[in-house]
């Protein structure tokens, strides 16, 4: 076999392949064997029909077609390996010449990973938010904890903001009560925004036994998205009482004996959270700077596939779980279809560029992923998917998703290398020294975010395998 490569553009090539006919022998033998198992000829046992009889009865052309279809993938793969190409997607194959007993010639056009030149990245500088925990932050954190331990007691007065009301609901669409439109004994905190739009105004000022009617768009159920006439009856009004902020509260709400100890722990916990946010911010900004340094041509077909995948994941997974369609989502986001299309395309371009650049860095820096790193990543992904590590691991293996996870870890390590070499300062002008272990973990998450559709594909594949 002889092959040659013609570069059509930075992301597409044409392979021209010439195959001597003798190299088709194995595929021809396989073709005769396959046809032998599929047909019957009087006077011959099944599977024992001579080749010359098959040629006479069914035509040599049918045999050649079967043999070529069998051989093409092998010869294409050999040509790709010989040229050291990294193909993206399926090739467009054209048989240019097929002479029985002489030669098979074909061409294959395919998108390929572009050749990238990674420049010196040691001069990258980024600025991130300073880690500052204020007294106001502490007070807010403690107040949120206090809210969780609030108690309620019935009151004989009209409902006010912050009260917990017990209500009965009835929803009608076009005058008909919905089968799933009745709910009794619902507990609702006025001002929480957890139920229907307009319910706060409807129940405020109402005492137990009083009711009101209002119009609202249903968020879920059989008539999700439709306007409904909702009748709400207040059956009880209860006032929320917050516990006193003292040592007794600290003992009730935590493992600490004093309020001061509780506040000190809150300060430490908030500082850790802000440090994690700071590390994530550093990863994202370093990645943006790195992508600006590298010229990355993006294959148009790959880009279109990525855009379609992202749309599919959004519509059929994320929005589907929330009971929304794309039109309603865009309305909530205040975006036009054109703006959504532009944003999705830009995100897809960033995701593809991120993968190309970081994969090139993995090769340049000779980075490898060991079993411990892969296991840690798999366990984190399992936790985020709501599956046990064993379930997730089995599903990933059966779905052929292991290389995808290995790639995520490797690219995360590559980004961590760049971040380590970068100068990161906070808004106070202080050098930020990121923890190396946390650096790799947040880098992997940053890569996942940039390659959102790939991460979703792996999770979806694992989930589907488990459900199956």
């Amino acid at each position: 076999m002889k092959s040659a490569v013609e570069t059509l553009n930075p992301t597409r090539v044409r392979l021209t392949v010439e195959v001597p006919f003798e190299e088709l022998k194995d595929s021809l033998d396989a073709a005769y064997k396959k046809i032998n198992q599929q047909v019957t000829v009087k006077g011959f046992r099944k599977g024992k029909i001579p080749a010359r009889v098959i040629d006479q009865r069914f035509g040599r052309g049918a045999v050649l077609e079967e043999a070529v279809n069998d051989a093409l993938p092998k010869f294409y793969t050999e040509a790709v390996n010989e040229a050291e190409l990294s193909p993206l997607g399926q090739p467009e194959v054209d048989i240019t010449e097929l002479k029985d007993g002489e030669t098979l010639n074909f061409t294959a056009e395919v998108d390929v990973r572009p050749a990238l030149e990674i420049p010196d990245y040691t001069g990258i500088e980024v600025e991130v938010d300073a880690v500052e925990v204020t007294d106001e932050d502490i007070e807010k954190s403690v107040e949120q904890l206090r809210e969780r331990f609030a108690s309620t007691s019935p009151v004989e007065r009209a409902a006010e903001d912050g009260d917990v009301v017990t209500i009965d609901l009835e929803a009608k669409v076009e005058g008909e009560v919905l089968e799933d439109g009745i709910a009794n004994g619902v507990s609702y905190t006025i001002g929480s925004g957890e139920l229907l739009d307009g319910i706060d105004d409807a129940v405020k000022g109402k005492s137990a036994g009083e009711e009101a009617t209002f119009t609202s768009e249903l968020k879920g159920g059989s008539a999700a998205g439709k306007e409904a006439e909702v009748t709400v009856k207040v059956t009880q009004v209860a006032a929320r009482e917050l516990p006193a902020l003292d040592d007794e509260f600290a003992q009730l709400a935590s493992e600490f004996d004093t309020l001061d100890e509780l506040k000190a722990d809150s300060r430490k916990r908030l500082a850790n959270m802000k440090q994690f946010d700071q590390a994530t911010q550093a990863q994202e900004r370093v990645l943006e700077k790195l992508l600006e340094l590298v010229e990355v041509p993006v294959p148009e077909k790959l880009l279109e596939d990525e855009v379609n995948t992202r749309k599919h994941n959004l519509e059929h997974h994320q929005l589907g779980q929330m009971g929304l369609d794309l039109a309603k989502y865009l309305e909530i986001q205040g975006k036009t279809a054109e703006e959504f299309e532009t944003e999705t395309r830009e995100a897809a371009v960033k995701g593809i560029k991120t993968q190309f650049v970081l994969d090139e860095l993995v090769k340049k820096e000779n980075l490898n992923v060991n079993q411990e790193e892969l296991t840690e990543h798999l366990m984190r992904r399992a936790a985020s998917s709501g599956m046990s590590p064993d379930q997730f691991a089995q599903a990933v293996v059966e779905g052929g998703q292991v290389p995808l996870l290995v790639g995520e870890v490797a690219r995360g390590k590559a980004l961590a290398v760049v971040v380590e070499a970068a100068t990161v300062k906070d808004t106070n002008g202080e050098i930020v020294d990121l923890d190396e272990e946390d650096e790799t973990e947040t880098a992997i998450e940053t890569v996942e975010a940039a390659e959102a559709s790939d991460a979703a594909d792996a999770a979806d594949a694992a989930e589907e395998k488990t459900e199956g």
Side-chain angles (χ1 to χ4, degrees):
M1 185 197 81
K2 293 193 301 182
S3 65
V5 181
E6 177 187 358
T7 300
L8 303 178
N9 62 48
T11 62
R12 194 166 180 82
V13 299
R14 179 189 292 124
L15 286 164
T16 301
V17 184
E18 298 178 11
V19 183
F21 204 81
E22 57 266 22
E23 293 187 32
L24 284 172
K25 183 180 183 306
D26 290 344
S27 294
L28 279 169
D29 291 343
Y32 279 117
K33 185 175 181 180
K34 182 176 180 180
I35 294 173
N36 242 307
Q37 299 300 322
Q38 295 175 337
V39 301
T40 57
V41 175
K42 189 175 180 180
F44 296 96
R45 285 183 296 161
K46 195 173 185 66
K48 299 296 184 179
I49 307 169
R52 59 178 176 78
V53 176
I54 290 177
D55 289 345
Q56 291 169 358
R57 288 293 187 92
F58 305 102
R60 174 71 167 177
V63 179
L64 288 175
E65 182 179 357
E66 181 66 38
V68 169
N69 288 338
D70 175 74
L72 276 177
K74 180 185 70 170
F75 292 125
Y76 166 73
T77 300
E78 287 180 10
V80 165
N81 293 337
E82 186 178 289
E84 298 182 344
L85 299 176
S86 298
L88 301 167
Q90 296 299 313
E92 295 179 7
V93 177
D94 180 28
I95 298 174
T96 56
E97 187 176 25
L98 175 58
K99 289 184 177 181
D100 194 359
E102 295 183 29
T103 187
L104 163 66
N105 297 336
F106 69 91
T107 62
E109 286 191 18
V110 67
D111 287 332
V112 293
R113 282 178 177 261
L116 301 180
E117 187 65 37
I118 304 296
D120 180 15
Y121 51 78
T122 58
I124 290 178
E125 293 186 13
V126 296
E127 184 180 76
V128 295
D129 295 335
V131 173
E132 296 175 347
V133 180
T134 65
D135 291 341
E136 185 180 346
D137 292 332
I138 303 300
E139 295 305 321
K140 183 178 178 181
S141 174
V142 173
E143 192 62 27
Q144 289 173 341
L145 184 61
R146 190 182 177 206
E147 290 277 349
R148 285 168 50 194
F149 284 85
S151 59
T152 60
S153 56
V155 292
E156 299 294 329
R157 60 166 172 77
E160 302 172 354
D161 272 328
D163 285 344
V164 178
V165 290
T166 304
I167 54 177
D168 296 337
L169 295 165
E170 181 185 85
K172 294 180 180 179
V173 173
E174 298 177 352
E176 296 291 329
V177 178
L178 299 171
E179 288 186 11
D180 55 353
I182 297 176
N184 296 321
V186 177
S187 181
Y188 175 67
T189 301
I190 299 176
S192 67
E194 293 174 352
L195 282 178
L196 300 168
D197 293 337
I199 195 169
D200 288 340
D201 291 336
V203 297
K204 275 194 293 189
K206 298 291 185 294
S207 300
E210 296 182 328
E211 63 180 48
T213 300
F214 64 101
T215 301
S216 183
E217 183 179 298
L218 299 179
K219 296 181 179 179
S222 62
K226 293 184 178 180
E227 288 289 327
E229 183 183 84
V230 182
T231 299
V232 55
K233 180 179 180 180
V234 177
T235 61
Q236 185 185 78
V237 179
R240 298 178 74 250
E241 298 176 0
L242 298 175
L245 277 178
D246 52 23
D247 292 347
E248 188 175 336
F249 166 70
Q251 294 164 19
L252 170 69
S254 71
E255 71 271 29
F256 301 105
D257 293 326
T258 68
L259 184 60
D260 287 342
E261 290 174 336
L262 173 60
K263 288 184 176 181
D265 180 72
S266 295
R267 184 178 295 276
K268 180 180 178 181
R269 182 169 43 81
L270 288 173
N272 288 338
M273 290 172 58
K274 291 196 174 189
Q275 284 173 347
F276 183 84
D277 291 342
Q278 185 188 63
T280 300
Q281 193 177 64
Q283 304 284 353
E284 292 171 348
R285 294 183 178 178
V286 168
L287 176 58
E288 288 173 4
K289 291 278 190 180
L290 177 64
L291 295 182
E292 289 173 6
L293 291 177
V294 188
E295 185 68 31
V296 185
V298 176
E300 191 59 33
K301 177 66 167 59
L302 179 65
L303 176 58
E304 292 305 319
D305 289 345
E306 178 69 8
V307 168
N308 291 333
T309 299
R310 287 172 182 258
K311 288 179 181 176
H312 176 84
N313 288 337
L314 175 66
E315 292 187 64
H316 297 278
H317 297 284
Q318 295 160 271
L319 297 184
Q321 292 174 357
M322 295 187 286
L324 298 175
D325 59 17
L326 183 59
K328 186 61 182 176
Y329 168 76
L330 294 179
E331 181 184 330
I332 294 171
Q333 294 291 314
K335 296 176 183 175
T336 66
E338 292 74 19
E339 289 171 335
F340 169 72
E341 187 74 27
T342 298
E343 289 180 6
T344 303
R345 195 172 186 84
E346 289 174 350
V349 168
K350 181 180 179 181
I352 293 170
K353 287 185 174 181
T354 296
Q355 187 173 110
F356 285 176
V357 170
L358 294 181
D359 280 346
E360 192 66 31
L361 263 171
V362 168
K363 290 192 294 184
K364 180 178 179 180
E365 302 292 345
N366 295 316
L367 300 176
N368 295 304
V369 176
N370 60 41
Q371 186 61 49
E372 182 180 354
E373 292 167 334
L374 181 60
T375 300
E376 288 178 1
H377 181 52
L378 187 146
M379 292 181 69
R380 185 172 61 80
R381 287 289 298 275
S384 66
S385 72
M387 299 165 62
S388 73
D390 287 345
Q391 282 180 316
F392 190 82
Q394 181 179 352
V396 165
V397 170
E398 291 178 357
Q401 299 294 322
V402 173
L404 190 149
L405 296 187
V406 171
E408 286 178 353
V409 178
R411 288 190 286 276
K413 293 179 71 172
L415 179 55
V417 168
V418 181
V419 173
E420 181 68 27
T423 300
V424 182
K425 292 183 179 180
D426 65 20
T427 49
N428 295 328
E430 299 292 329
I431 296 289
V432 176
D433 185 18
L434 301 172
D435 180 85
E436 187 173 338
E437 185 173 334
D438 291 342
E439 198 173 285
T440 302
E441 180 181 339
T442 53
I444 294 172
E445 292 180 3
T446 299
V447 170
E448 284 179 22
E451 302 171 6
S453 67
D454 283 344
D457 285 346
D460 292 341
E463 187 176 348
E464 288 170 7
K465 279 286 181 182
T466 304
E467 290 175 351

